[in-house]
Amino acid sequence: MAAEGGGKETNEIKTQFTTREGVYKLLTHSEYSRPNRVPFNSQGSNPVKVSFVNVNDQSGNGDRICFNVGRELYFYIYKGVRKAADLSKPVDKRIYKGTQPTCHDFNPLTATAESVSLLVGFSAGQVQLIDPIKKETSKLFNEERLIDKSRVTCVRWVPGSESLFLVAHSSGSMYLYNVENTCGTTAPHYQLLKQGDNFAVHTCKSKSARNPLLRWTVGEGALNEFAFSPDGKFLACASQDGFLRVFGFDAAELHGTMKSYFGGLLCVCWSPDGRYIVAGGEDDLVTVWSFLDCRVIARGHGHKSWVSVVAFDHCTTSVEDGELPAEFSGSDEDFHEQIHFGAGRERANSSHSRLSKRNSTESRPVSVTYRFGSVGQDTQLCLWDLTEDILFPHLPLSRTRTHTNVMSATSPTATGQTVTTVSITSTTNSNVTNGKDNVSDSSASGNPTNALPDPLPRSNSLPQATNTAGGSTPNSHTGSSCSSSSSKGNSIIDSAFIATKFATLSLHDSRKERNEKDHKRNHSMGHISSKSSDKLNQLSSSRTVKAEAAKTLGTTLCPRMEEVPLLEPLVCKKIAHERLTVLIFLEDCLVTACQEGFICTWARPGKVGLLSSQNNPANSPSGTVV
């Protein structure tokens, strides 16, 4: 499970690790870095970041990689597991003076073998649009820093658009740009378009089209990262104030919120079907949040320092039912192409109903597993499995089950034991076998938002204290973590957004925002340990920051540690000498990078060497694509 104990573990760098699907191996010949391969002196520099794009090259070698190291930006043909990296021949190399690249993003829609559109954000606030194949610079946005003078923390093309992109800054603001518009010679003037709980959206007042089209101000402190949902409809923002905020992007509506255990949130990602969000940050935890239920469903503890990147592995995420769903087959580009046209959205609506139908009609368990990974400043890579005993612990329950605390639960092992749960006001008891549920009442399983996850059964989790306290529980849907009810959460996904962005938005606050009135902001509280978590409510009111944090602990915004399942990593390995800053899952490998400027390729099981050696399905665990 975790890294081996003893003194070796802290100093020895791992070059391979084993999961249920086989052995992942570090390919030393596929390491990318600066051409001289000298470790970069990373003190005072921005994190190394990596971006990929596929240019659909007919030769079958269409992957391209971009990475920044200090003041330098490199663009290579990425050969992955196929051939050794040739660092002597970068397609493009740029060295910047007076500012450093901080992040970048390719537009997959416009990428060809002759041209790619690459956005690069900088430490002084500018954003550059370049074409590293044609070796030309198209445009420079915020050149005079009239829009924002702070560091660019995240830049992304708007999904499905060839011209719109979103930029986040350490000021806590996000700006929507159009590549066709200029930024003007004067500072922009803004008009309020939408305002909610600790966020506001302004439009730029101008007689002629200019950038930015919109300005979002979100939370307090830096906006560290944002991520679009697979269908492009929603936007998840991780902020230094410790809050995850999820917005409907077109309508600028707050869908739900979550608070870190303490400290800022640094990274965020979506599951391939858009049902779950994982965030990591300064509490050393990875937190899994349900998009439909607007609540924390699990936390993972394996890192010893801040978590810098989280990412889902769409190739290992699986639903076992004979055939793999289309969303999880094919190449990386095929997957993105599907979700841009709504496949991810359809899955978010119908996945649970399909599961319920299979369970109730065939009387056999369906295995659901989401694989995600995380890397941190502790130089460790962790892999996690989110399994159906965490996701659907309520499937065997009667539909008359009410939102109440679970009084008792046995602690099952991975296989072969029975869990009995008792509800305070439940009218029925249910037996669960092996954590994979045989459902006799299809309507009970078909209502995921109206049942309470009762036990904490799981195959890769730590022992839990039984929750015997009365009153409200974070597993109930009452509280302020979601701006809409569960049923309304579904309607948000189902609703069709306006065709013209932001054209007909109302200025008044939505009714859904009323439930957010108790949602307070606070600064990082890194000094609070898990042992002192239950004493937060006793902190002196003279410090409002601590007092506000105490209000969120134990609510749906931030459940206590014993109130949600605690995952244990499948893999926890030290893989670098410097802090890790990149984790990307590709079809044949996963890619990591550290602050020394080394980008490492880890071949998936059976993918070492030439790609002609295909996997034997018989060697793969059921329901897992390797």
Side-chain angles (χ1 to χ4, degrees):
M1 295 288 281
E4 294 83 5
K8 284 184 177 181
E9 179 258 328
T10 56
N11 298 318
E12 184 181 348
I13 303 298
K14 306 298 180 183
T15 58
Q16 67 180 45
F17 56 85
T18 304
T19 64
R20 66 171 187 271
E21 61 267 18
V23 180
Y24 289 74
K25 295 183 179 180
L26 176 65
L27 303 180
T28 55
H29 64 274
S30 295
E31 182 180 84
Y32 287 78
S33 67
R34 297 189 298 171
N36 57 16
R37 291 189 183 274
V38 174
F40 174 68
N41 182 5
S42 60
Q43 290 186 351
S45 295
N46 290 287
V48 173
K49 298 288 186 181
V50 173
S51 296
F52 284 98
V53 70
N54 190 290
V55 299
N56 299 315
D57 191 352
Q58 298 300 321
S59 66
N61 195 21
D63 288 329
R64 303 290 183 266
I65 184 174
C66 172
F67 58 91
N68 61 290
V69 182
R71 297 185 298 115
E72 303 165 9
L73 187 74
Y74 293 94
F75 180 77
Y76 281 95
I77 296 175
Y78 179 71
K79 299 178 181 178
V81 301
R82 294 180 290 273
K83 295 181 181 179
D86 186 359
L87 299 183
S88 65
K89 298 178 180 179
V91 177
D92 194 16
K93 173 187 174 182
R94 299 176 185 230
I95 301 177
Y96 296 93
K97 296 181 180 179
T99 186
Q100 294 185 2
T102 59
C103 50
H104 30 82
D105 189 42
F106 288 104
N107 192 329
L109 295 181
T110 61
T112 67
E114 293 77 33
S115 175
V116 294
S117 296
L118 176 67
L119 290 169
V120 184
F122 290 91
S123 57
Q126 303 94 335
V127 178
Q128 192 178 43
L129 176 61
I130 64 177
D131 188 332
I133 295 180
K134 293 183 176 178
K135 295 182 173 57
E136 63 183 34
T137 301
S138 301
K139 289 184 179 180
L140 186 60
F141 302 92
N142 194 28
E143 181 176 5
E144 303 298 327
R145 305 172 68 209
L146 298 172
I147 298 173
D148 200 306
K149 292 181 170 59
S150 64
R151 174 174 54 92
V152 176
T153 57
C154 186
V155 60
R156 293 279 186 271
W157 291 97
V158 174
S161 175
E162 296 184 4
S163 58
L164 298 178
F165 63 92
L166 195 61
V167 182
H169 289 258
S170 59
S171 64
S173 294
M174 286 189 302
Y175 301 91
L176 182 66
Y177 287 82
N178 188 327
V179 295
E180 306 298 332
N181 295 351
T182 64
C183 291
T185 56
T186 59
H189 295 280
Y190 296 103
Q191 179 177 352
L192 182 65
L193 182 66
K194 189 105 177 186
Q195 190 167 15
D197 189 7
N198 234 283
F199 81 95
V201 182
H202 292 78
T203 183
C204 185
K205 292 173 60 178
S206 177
K207 293 182 179 179
S208 59
R210 64 160 289 178
N211 285 317
L213 303 178
L214 291 175
R215 180 186 71 178
W216 293 61
T217 52
V218 179
E220 298 174 5
L223 202 165
N224 290 319
E225 188 176 41
F226 63 83
F228 284 99
S229 61
D231 61 7
K233 304 286 187 184
F234 293 89
L235 183 70
C237 301
S239 297
Q240 190 59 38
D241 62 6
F243 280 92
L244 167 73
R245 298 175 179 88
V246 182
F247 298 94
F249 183 61
D250 286 351
E253 299 242 343
L254 183 63
H255 171 74
T257 55
M258 181 271 289
K259 174 69 175 62
S260 68
Y261 201 68
F262 60 78
L265 286 179
L266 304 178
C267 51
V268 63
C269 67
W270 292 78
S271 65
D273 57 10
R275 293 176 65 92
Y276 303 100
I277 297 174
V278 172
E282 296 175 356
D283 54 9
D284 304 352
L285 302 170
V286 292
T287 303
V288 185
W289 190 80
S290 169
F291 175 82
L292 295 180
D293 295 343
C294 293
R295 65 179 179 87
V296 175
I297 61 169
R299 289 191 179 103
H301 185 248
H303 288 284
K304 301 172 184 176
S305 186
W306 295 356
V307 179
S308 51
V309 182
V310 287
F312 274 88
D313 181 358
H314 65 275
C315 292
T316 311
T317 295
S318 64
V319 177
E320 177 192 356
D321 187 38
E323 294 183 1
L324 198 70
E327 290 88 343
F328 301 126
S329 60
S331 68
D332 208 10
E333 292 301 313
D334 291 337
F335 171 75
H336 286 293
E337 188 175 10
Q338 288 180 39
I339 59 181
H340 282 319
F341 289 95
R345 182 180 177 193
E346 182 275 336
R347 177 171 171 75
N349 291 331
S350 64
S351 173
H352 195 278
S353 62
R354 293 206 307 269
L355 288 174
S356 306
K357 181 178 179 181
R358 292 167 186 163
N359 270 307
S360 59
T361 57
E362 300 175 19
S363 298
R364 65 179 182 84
V366 174
S367 175
V368 181
T369 302
Y370 293 84
R371 167 71 56 81
F372 66 93
S374 58
V375 295
Q377 297 196 11
D378 57 358
T379 72
Q380 290 190 133
L381 164 70
C382 292
L383 295 181
W384 315 80
D385 268 0
L386 192 60
T387 51
E388 72 275 5
D389 51 358
I390 300 295
L391 300 174
F392 308 122
H394 53 280
L395 278 180
L397 301 180
S398 166
R399 61 171 173 255
T400 58
R401 184 67 177 270
T402 56
H403 301 292
T404 53
N405 282 328
V406 177
M407 292 189 63
S408 63
T410 60
S411 188
T413 57
T415 57
Q417 292 193 14
T418 299
V419 181
T420 303
T421 62
V422 182
S423 169
I424 294 176
T425 59
S426 176
T427 56
T428 60
N429 290 331
S430 305
N431 288 328
V432 185
T433 304
N434 196 25
K436 299 179 181 179
D437 314 321
N438 293 326
V439 181
S440 59
D441 188 346
S442 62
S443 60
S445 61
N447 188 9
T449 60
N450 196 28
L452 172 67
D454 45 356
L456 303 179
R458 52 210 175 274
S459 57
N460 61 320
S461 52
L462 299 177
Q464 289 287 307
T466 302
N467 181 12
T468 59
S472 177
T473 170
N475 287 338
S476 67
H477 294 294
T478 58
S480 60
S481 72
C482 185
S483 60
S484 60
S485 66
S486 299
S487 60
K488 193 167 289 186
N490 284 315
S491 68
I492 287 179
I493 295 181
D494 295 333
S495 62
F497 288 105
I498 50 178
T500 305
K501 291 181 183 292
F502 312 102
T504 59
L505 285 182
S506 170
L507 291 177
H508 70 276
D509 289 344
S510 167
R511 285 182 302 168
K512 292 181 292 184
E513 291 161 355
R514 290 185 300 182
N515 289 335
E516 292 291 313
K517 60 185 178 181
D518 293 327
H519 179 180
K520 305 295 183 182
R521 304 295 176 261
N522 64 286
H523 297 287
S524 298
M525 298 177 60
H527 62 283
I528 299 177
S529 67
S530 59
K531 292 182 179 179
S532 65
S533 62
D534 292 330
K535 298 180 181 179
L536 277 176
N537 287 317
Q538 303 171 7
L539 291 176
S540 171
S541 59
S542 61
R543 299 201 176 183
T544 55
V545 170
K546 295 181 181 180
E548 300 303 338
K551 290 180 181 179
T552 63
L553 186 64
T555 69
T556 47
L557 283 174
C558 181
R560 288 184 170 87
M561 291 298 290
E562 68 271 15
E563 292 174 330
V564 294
L566 189 63
L567 303 177
E568 181 181 309
L570 297 174
V571 171
C572 188
K573 302 292 185 184
K574 178 183 175 68
I575 61 170
H577 290 290
E578 285 291 330
R579 64 184 186 272
L580 293 163
T581 58
V582 170
L583 174 62
I584 300 173
F585 290 95
L586 301 177
E587 187 177 3
D588 305 314
C589 59
L590 60 92
V591 176
T592 61
C594 69
Q595 194 55 25
E596 285 185 314
F598 296 117
I599 291 89
C600 298
T601 298
W602 301 76
R604 292 184 186 271
K607 296 293 185 178
V608 178
L610 297 177
L611 291 179
S612 57
S613 58
Q614 298 296 323
N615 284 338
N616 182 359
N619 295 332
S620 299
S622 62
T624 301
V625 176
V626 183

